[in-house]
PDB file of all heavy atoms in Angstrom:
ATOM      1  N   GLY A  22       8.952 -32.239  -9.902  1.00 97.00           N
ATOM      2  CA  GLY A  22       7.647 -32.474  -9.274  1.00 97.00           C
ATOM      3  C   GLY A  22       7.313 -31.435  -8.226  1.00 97.00           C
ATOM      4  O   GLY A  22       7.270 -31.745  -7.042  1.00 97.00           O
ATOM      5  N   PHE A  25       2.462 -25.718  -6.377  1.00 98.00           N
ATOM      6  CA  PHE A  25       2.171 -24.499  -5.612  1.00 98.00           C
ATOM      7  C   PHE A  25       1.034 -23.755  -6.293  1.00 98.00           C
ATOM      8  O   PHE A  25       0.660 -24.073  -7.428  1.00 98.00           O
ATOM      9  CB  PHE A  25       3.410 -23.596  -5.467  1.00 98.00           C
ATOM     10  CG  PHE A  25       3.926 -23.014  -6.756  1.00 98.00           C
ATOM     11  CD1 PHE A  25       3.531 -21.742  -7.180  1.00 98.00           C
ATOM     12  CD2 PHE A  25       4.804 -23.723  -7.556  1.00 98.00           C
ATOM     13  CE1 PHE A  25       4.004 -21.200  -8.372  1.00 98.00           C
ATOM     14  CE2 PHE A  25       5.284 -23.196  -8.747  1.00 98.00           C
ATOM     15  CZ  PHE A  25       4.884 -21.938  -9.158  1.00 98.00           C
ATOM     16  N   THR A  38      18.878 -21.265  -4.005  1.00 84.00           N
ATOM     17  CA  THR A  38      20.197 -20.952  -4.551  1.00 84.00           C
ATOM     18  C   THR A  38      20.234 -21.136  -6.072  1.00 84.00           C
ATOM     19  O   THR A  38      19.287 -21.652  -6.661  1.00 84.00           O
ATOM     20  CB  THR A  38      21.258 -21.891  -3.921  1.00 84.00           C
ATOM     21  OG1 THR A  38      20.711 -23.198  -3.956  1.00 84.00           O
ATOM     22  CG2 THR A  38      21.567 -21.496  -2.507  1.00 84.00           C
ATOM     23  N   ASN A  39      21.354 -20.768  -6.660  1.00 85.00           N
ATOM     24  CA  ASN A  39      21.557 -20.948  -8.101  1.00 85.00           C
ATOM     25  C   ASN A  39      21.305 -22.388  -8.494  1.00 85.00           C
ATOM     26  O   ASN A  39      21.751 -23.300  -7.806  1.00 85.00           O
ATOM     27  CB  ASN A  39      23.018 -20.656  -8.477  1.00 85.00           C
ATOM     28  CG  ASN A  39      23.305 -19.181  -8.493  1.00 85.00           C
ATOM     29  OD1 ASN A  39      22.422 -18.378  -8.791  1.00 85.00           O
ATOM     30  ND2 ASN A  39      24.522 -18.817  -8.153  1.00 85.00           N
ATOM     31  N   ARG A  48      10.039 -20.273 -16.990  1.00 95.00           N
ATOM     32  CA  ARG A  48      10.081 -20.440 -18.450  1.00 95.00           C
ATOM     33  C   ARG A  48       9.073 -21.489 -18.909  1.00 95.00           C
ATOM     34  O   ARG A  48       8.530 -21.398 -19.996  1.00 95.00           O
ATOM     35  CB  ARG A  48      11.503 -20.812 -18.908  1.00 95.00           C
ATOM     36  CG  ARG A  48      12.471 -19.625 -18.770  1.00 95.00           C
ATOM     37  CD  ARG A  48      13.908 -19.998 -19.144  1.00 95.00           C
ATOM     38  NE  ARG A  48      14.043 -20.431 -20.521  1.00 95.00           N
ATOM     39  CZ  ARG A  48      14.104 -19.630 -21.575  1.00 95.00           C
ATOM     40  NH1 ARG A  48      14.038 -18.332 -21.408  1.00 95.00           N
ATOM     41  NH2 ARG A  48      14.233 -20.117 -22.788  1.00 95.00           N
ATOM     42  N   LYS A  66      -7.868 -22.552 -16.926  1.00 93.00           N
ATOM     43  CA  LYS A  66      -7.576 -23.340 -18.140  1.00 93.00           C
ATOM     44  C   LYS A  66      -6.255 -24.078 -18.008  1.00 93.00           C
ATOM     45  O   LYS A  66      -5.309 -23.545 -17.446  1.00 93.00           O
ATOM     46  CB  LYS A  66      -7.459 -22.403 -19.358  1.00 93.00           C
ATOM     47  CG  LYS A  66      -8.730 -21.679 -19.699  1.00 93.00           C
ATOM     48  CD  LYS A  66      -8.471 -20.727 -20.872  1.00 93.00           C
ATOM     49  CE  LYS A  66      -9.559 -19.679 -20.993  1.00 93.00           C
ATOM     50  NZ  LYS A  66      -9.511 -18.622 -19.953  1.00 93.00           N
ATOM     51  N   HIS A  74       2.828 -17.430 -27.186  1.00 87.00           N
ATOM     52  CA  HIS A  74       2.124 -16.172 -27.475  1.00 87.00           C
ATOM     53  C   HIS A  74       0.679 -16.237 -26.976  1.00 87.00           C
ATOM     54  O   HIS A  74       0.096 -15.239 -26.555  1.00 87.00           O
ATOM     55  CB  HIS A  74       2.183 -15.838 -28.969  1.00 87.00           C
ATOM     56  CG  HIS A  74       1.385 -16.769 -29.828  1.00 87.00           C
ATOM     57  ND1 HIS A  74       1.902 -17.943 -30.311  1.00 87.00           N
ATOM     58  CD2 HIS A  74       0.113 -16.718 -30.251  1.00 87.00           C
ATOM     59  CE1 HIS A  74       0.983 -18.565 -31.024  1.00 87.00           C
ATOM     60  NE2 HIS A  74      -0.119 -17.849 -30.997  1.00 87.00           N
ATOM     61  N   PRO A  85      11.866 -11.378 -17.952  1.00 79.00           N
ATOM     62  CA  PRO A  85      12.883 -12.421 -17.811  1.00 79.00           C
ATOM     63  C   PRO A  85      14.144 -11.975 -17.083  1.00 79.00           C
ATOM     64  O   PRO A  85      14.432 -10.786 -16.956  1.00 79.00           O
ATOM     65  CB  PRO A  85      13.206 -12.793 -19.257  1.00 79.00           C
ATOM     66  CG  PRO A  85      12.850 -11.596 -20.052  1.00 79.00           C
ATOM     67  CD  PRO A  85      11.757 -10.881 -19.323  1.00 79.00           C
ATOM     68  N   ILE A  90      15.871  -6.484 -22.877  1.00 87.00           N
ATOM     69  CA  ILE A  90      15.215  -5.390 -23.595  1.00 87.00           C
ATOM     70  C   ILE A  90      15.895  -5.261 -24.970  1.00 87.00           C
ATOM     71  O   ILE A  90      16.906  -5.911 -25.225  1.00 87.00           O
ATOM     72  CB  ILE A  90      15.323  -4.067 -22.823  1.00 87.00           C
ATOM     73  CG1 ILE A  90      16.787  -3.809 -22.479  1.00 87.00           C
ATOM     74  CG2 ILE A  90      14.498  -4.097 -21.537  1.00 87.00           C
ATOM     75  CD1 ILE A  90      17.246  -2.496 -22.834  1.00 87.00           C
ATOM     76  N   ALA A 120       3.196   3.425 -16.931  1.00 93.00           N
ATOM     77  CA  ALA A 120       4.588   2.967 -16.762  1.00 93.00           C
ATOM     78  C   ALA A 120       5.487   4.155 -16.428  1.00 93.00           C
ATOM     79  O   ALA A 120       6.386   4.054 -15.582  1.00 93.00           O
ATOM     80  CB  ALA A 120       5.068   2.268 -18.039  1.00 93.00           C
ATOM     81  N   TYR A 121       5.219   5.320 -17.048  1.00 95.00           N
ATOM     82  CA  TYR A 121       6.029   6.505 -16.756  1.00 95.00           C
ATOM     83  C   TYR A 121       5.751   7.041 -15.353  1.00 95.00           C
ATOM     84  O   TYR A 121       6.641   7.603 -14.717  1.00 95.00           O
ATOM     85  CB  TYR A 121       5.765   7.602 -17.802  1.00 95.00           C
ATOM     86  CG  TYR A 121       6.250   7.246 -19.198  1.00 95.00           C
ATOM     87  CD1 TYR A 121       5.698   7.851 -20.321  1.00 95.00           C
ATOM     88  CD2 TYR A 121       7.264   6.316 -19.377  1.00 95.00           C
ATOM     89  CE1 TYR A 121       6.138   7.529 -21.605  1.00 95.00           C
ATOM     90  CE2 TYR A 121       7.699   5.986 -20.644  1.00 95.00           C
ATOM     91  CZ  TYR A 121       7.133   6.594 -21.751  1.00 95.00           C
ATOM     92  OH  TYR A 121       7.571   6.270 -23.006  1.00 95.00           O
ATOM     93  N   GLU A 129      11.143  10.366 -18.782  1.00 96.00           N
ATOM     94  CA  GLU A 129      12.098  11.435 -19.109  1.00 96.00           C
ATOM     95  C   GLU A 129      12.948  11.063 -20.316  1.00 96.00           C
ATOM     96  O   GLU A 129      13.386  11.914 -21.067  1.00 96.00           O
ATOM     97  CB  GLU A 129      13.036  11.660 -17.910  1.00 96.00           C
ATOM     98  CG  GLU A 129      12.383  12.409 -16.765  1.00 96.00           C
ATOM     99  CD  GLU A 129      13.151  12.202 -15.460  1.00 96.00           C
ATOM    100  OE1 GLU A 129      14.387  11.999 -15.512  1.00 96.00           O
ATOM    101  OE2 GLU A 129      12.488  12.244 -14.401  1.00 96.00           O
ATOM    102  N   ALA A 147      11.995  -3.498 -18.342  1.00 90.00           N
ATOM    103  CA  ALA A 147      11.507  -4.871 -18.556  1.00 90.00           C
ATOM    104  C   ALA A 147      10.211  -5.099 -17.774  1.00 90.00           C
ATOM    105  O   ALA A 147       9.272  -5.730 -18.277  1.00 90.00           O
ATOM    106  CB  ALA A 147      12.571  -5.881 -18.123  1.00 90.00           C
ATOM    107  N   ARG A 150       7.470  -3.118 -19.514  1.00 92.00           N
ATOM    108  CA  ARG A 150       7.066  -3.788 -20.758  1.00 92.00           C
ATOM    109  C   ARG A 150       6.148  -4.979 -20.458  1.00 92.00           C
ATOM    110  O   ARG A 150       5.140  -5.179 -21.126  1.00 92.00           O
ATOM    111  CB  ARG A 150       8.311  -4.257 -21.511  1.00 92.00           C
ATOM    112  CG  ARG A 150       7.983  -4.861 -22.863  1.00 92.00           C
ATOM    113  CD  ARG A 150       9.221  -5.321 -23.585  1.00 92.00           C
ATOM    114  NE  ARG A 150       9.936  -6.318 -22.811  1.00 92.00           N
ATOM    115  CZ  ARG A 150      11.131  -6.800 -23.132  1.00 92.00           C
ATOM    116  NH1 ARG A 150      11.757  -6.346 -24.207  1.00 92.00           N
ATOM    117  NH2 ARG A 150      11.706  -7.710 -22.392  1.00 92.00           N
ATOM    118  N   LEU A 159       1.871 -11.350 -13.206  1.00 95.00           N
ATOM    119  CA  LEU A 159       3.169 -10.843 -13.648  1.00 95.00           C
ATOM    120  C   LEU A 159       4.255 -11.710 -13.018  1.00 95.00           C
ATOM    121  O   LEU A 159       4.315 -11.837 -11.793  1.00 95.00           O
ATOM    122  CB  LEU A 159       3.321  -9.385 -13.189  1.00 95.00           C
ATOM    123  CG  LEU A 159       4.668  -8.715 -13.426  1.00 95.00           C
ATOM    124  CD1 LEU A 159       4.957  -8.579 -14.916  1.00 95.00           C
ATOM    125  CD2 LEU A 159       4.696  -7.327 -12.767  1.00 95.00           C
ATOM    126  N   LEU A 183       2.742  -2.170  -7.025  1.00 90.00           N
ATOM    127  CA  LEU A 183       1.943  -2.958  -7.971  1.00 90.00           C
ATOM    128  C   LEU A 183       0.982  -3.874  -7.223  1.00 90.00           C
ATOM    129  O   LEU A 183      -0.168  -4.026  -7.591  1.00 90.00           O
ATOM    130  CB  LEU A 183       2.866  -3.800  -8.860  1.00 90.00           C
ATOM    131  CG  LEU A 183       3.677  -3.025  -9.893  1.00 90.00           C
ATOM    132  CD1 LEU A 183       4.696  -3.944 -10.559  1.00 90.00           C
ATOM    133  CD2 LEU A 183       2.752  -2.401 -10.940  1.00 90.00           C
ATOM    134  N   SER A 185      -0.266  -3.326  -4.290  1.00 91.00           N
ATOM    135  CA  SER A 185      -1.351  -2.525  -3.692  1.00 91.00           C
ATOM    136  C   SER A 185      -2.361  -2.103  -4.754  1.00 91.00           C
ATOM    137  O   SER A 185      -3.517  -1.839  -4.461  1.00 91.00           O
ATOM    138  CB  SER A 185      -0.792  -1.311  -2.939  1.00 91.00           C
ATOM    139  OG  SER A 185      -0.357  -0.356  -3.876  1.00 91.00           O
ATOM    140  N   ALA A 199      14.576  -9.625   0.959  1.00 90.00           N
ATOM    141  CA  ALA A 199      13.702  -8.653   0.290  1.00 90.00           C
ATOM    142  C   ALA A 199      12.429  -9.327  -0.211  1.00 90.00           C
ATOM    143  O   ALA A 199      11.319  -8.814  -0.031  1.00 90.00           O
ATOM    144  CB  ALA A 199      14.452  -8.000  -0.876  1.00 90.00           C
ATOM    145  N   LEU A 203       8.100  -9.005   1.347  1.00 93.00           N
ATOM    146  CA  LEU A 203       6.896  -8.477   0.698  1.00 93.00           C
ATOM    147  C   LEU A 203       5.951  -9.551   0.176  1.00 93.00           C
ATOM    148  O   LEU A 203       4.875  -9.259  -0.329  1.00 93.00           O
ATOM    149  CB  LEU A 203       7.255  -7.450  -0.389  1.00 93.00           C
ATOM    150  CG  LEU A 203       8.111  -7.821  -1.566  1.00 93.00           C
ATOM    151  CD1 LEU A 203       7.296  -8.586  -2.587  1.00 93.00           C
ATOM    152  CD2 LEU A 203       8.651  -6.562  -2.210  1.00 93.00           C
ATOM    153  N   VAL A 209      10.610 -22.415  -0.803  1.00 95.00           N
ATOM    154  CA  VAL A 209      12.053 -22.557  -0.909  1.00 95.00           C
ATOM    155  C   VAL A 209      12.335 -23.732  -1.829  1.00 95.00           C
ATOM    156  O   VAL A 209      11.856 -24.839  -1.589  1.00 95.00           O
ATOM    157  CB  VAL A 209      12.683 -22.838   0.474  1.00 95.00           C
ATOM    158  CG1 VAL A 209      14.196 -22.961   0.344  1.00 95.00           C
ATOM    159  CG2 VAL A 209      12.307 -21.742   1.472  1.00 95.00           C
ATOM    160  N   SER A 218       7.530 -24.422   2.535  1.00 97.00           N
ATOM    161  CA  SER A 218       6.568 -23.420   2.082  1.00 97.00           C
ATOM    162  C   SER A 218       5.961 -22.751   3.298  1.00 97.00           C
ATOM    163  O   SER A 218       5.854 -23.363   4.359  1.00 97.00           O
ATOM    164  CB  SER A 218       5.431 -24.077   1.290  1.00 97.00           C
ATOM    165  OG  SER A 218       5.947 -24.741   0.171  1.00 97.00           O
ATOM    166  N   THR A 220       4.034 -18.650   4.785  1.00 97.00           N
ATOM    167  CA  THR A 220       3.834 -17.238   4.484  1.00 97.00           C
ATOM    168  C   THR A 220       5.213 -16.581   4.440  1.00 97.00           C
ATOM    169  O   THR A 220       6.185 -17.115   5.000  1.00 97.00           O
ATOM    170  CB  THR A 220       2.995 -16.534   5.573  1.00 97.00           C
ATOM    171  OG1 THR A 220       3.739 -16.556   6.790  1.00 97.00           O
ATOM    172  CG2 THR A 220       1.647 -17.216   5.763  1.00 97.00           C
ATOM    173  N   TYR A 234      19.677 -18.939   3.862  1.00 80.00           N
ATOM    174  CA  TYR A 234      19.446 -17.895   2.857  1.00 80.00           C
ATOM    175  C   TYR A 234      19.620 -16.475   3.361  1.00 80.00           C
ATOM    176  O   TYR A 234      19.668 -15.547   2.576  1.00 80.00           O
ATOM    177  CB  TYR A 234      18.049 -18.058   2.252  1.00 80.00           C
ATOM    178  CG  TYR A 234      17.904 -19.391   1.591  1.00 80.00           C
ATOM    179  CD1 TYR A 234      17.238 -20.425   2.222  1.00 80.00           C
ATOM    180  CD2 TYR A 234      18.503 -19.624   0.358  1.00 80.00           C
ATOM    181  CE1 TYR A 234      17.142 -21.670   1.635  1.00 80.00           C
ATOM    182  CE2 TYR A 234      18.418 -20.862  -0.233  1.00 80.00           C
ATOM    183  CZ  TYR A 234      17.739 -21.884   0.400  1.00 80.00           C
ATOM    184  OH  TYR A 234      17.671 -23.104  -0.184  1.00 80.00           O
TER     185      TYR A 234
END
Side-chain angles (χ1 to χ4, degrees):
F25 65 94
T38 46
N39 284 329
R48 289 177 61 79
K66 296 177 197 73
H74 69 273
I90 53 130
Y121 293 157
E129 285 161 30
R150 185 180 59 187
L159 174 65
L183 289 172
S185 74
L203 60 78
V209 181
S218 300
T220 65
Y234 300 101

